Amino acid sequence: MNLVNAFLELDNLLHKYSSYWQFIPFQHHDYPWSNPALTRYVDELKASDFNKIDTQLERQKMCFSDFFPDMFAWGEKHQLAMSAQTEAASPFWLKTNIAGRKWQQIQAFSQSFPFKNRSIVEWCAGKGHLGRILAFHHQTSIDSIEWQAELCQQGQTQADKLQLPQKFIHADVLTTQAELLAGKQHVVAMHACGDLHTKMLAESVKHQVENIDLIPCCYHLTEAETYQSLSSYAQQSQLALNKDQIKMAVQSQLTGGNRAAVLRQKEVTWRLAYQALRADLMQDLHYVPIPSVNKSWFSGEFKDFACWCLQQHNLTAPGQVDWQQYLSLGEIRAASIQKMELVRHVFRRPLEMWLILDRALYLQEQGYQVVLEEFCDYQITPRNIVIRANIPKRHGNVCAAC
Ligand SMILES: C[S@@+](CC[C@H](N)C(=O)[O-])C[C@H]1O[C@@H](n2cnc3c(N)ncnc32)[C@H](O)[C@@H]1O
């Protein structure tokens, strides 16, 4: 993949289609695009198909490629290769305390890990599951950096039990004065969020760490309210991304099951039903946020939830309220919002690719060779892309190929 061309094409497409994704559905009473054919199409979709369309990239493509052909063509042209698997699978007894999907991700990552006979730093390690597996396979020393002391302790106990060369370093990577990557050769970060992984990239560049393997996550978890581009190309982009928009890149729901999906839908419906009541009382159609609440509210009565919301907005319920009528209005609004989300989510993976390419281009601009790969299947985790970067070897004036 030519990273610069891929980024510039994608940047243009995301800008061209911004009215289809740069909006907050809750704030709209009607579709924010002027595209009658698309409106007719989404209005005819069956509610029972929404979840499949939203979670399966192939389904999404079947539904929407006629409306956004160049966007889907970009995806095909720049389809990432799956990482080659070069290592053996790990023995089952190493799996202790690692949940199913996490184990599959770590397995896939470690089987494709480009080991260079070097010590490794594991950035924001949690309990250091990944580091432990890498230490087992390569018998190399691993420094696992983690902020939560308890996780460090649990991880260290496990590593010591297995006599693995893994050492935990208890540190806050954002505030520590220690030069965590000074003199280090290889850093890995799996699912390190926003500022945590951008700090790792900056430190790696500063200390010229030769190999970086980054699986980014939660790009919106940053101190800054608006997106701070890393590469010079993203700095020139016309997309001015805020946290809500960036968050969409990681909002794919694969887990949680049907029960969680039903509960989520009920919550959305009740919140919208309350908004309809408030709009009538105040003669004001503007969406006003309601704080997040314990999910147990949604096993009770809508009336109780609505009265609590009224209190939050310093309002009192009128004597006579047809609660069922507002619930029905909430259901209609919820269905319309789901349809807006289906269209918006066409741009979810492209937006994630835009964010990943920004990181890749930043490293390229700093002298790294960079490749992007899918290290595991999307159905195991939607955060399945790894940025692999290394500083090319220099051989004096002699070309490395000679
Ligand atoms: C999403 S978890 C990923 C853990 C592990 N890499 C994995 O893939 O399972 C992010 C980890 O970063 C740690 N973390 C958060 N803020 C941190 C900081 N400022 N310094 C170091 N670690 C931090 C959290 O405690 C958490 O264990």
Side-chain angles (χ1 to χ4, degrees), residues 95 98-108 190-191 253-257 375-382:
K95 184 174 182 288
I98 311 179
R101 277 179 200 271
K102 193 79 203 174
W103 174 246
Q104 285 176 289
Q105 292 161 33
I106 289 176
Q107 271 295 288
M190 181 178 241
H191 297 160
Q253 301 275 351
L254 293 181
T255 51
F375 72 95
C376 73
D377 196 83
Y378 181 86
Q379 294 302 326
I380 296 176
T381 170

Side-chain angles (χ1 to χ4, degrees), residues 102 124-126 146-148 151 171-174 190-191 193 196:
K102 193 79 203 174
C124 298
E146 169 57 44
W147 162 61
Q148 295 186 56
L151 300 188
D172 179 339
V173 297
L174 297 179
M190 181 178 241
H191 297 160
C193 303
L196 300 178

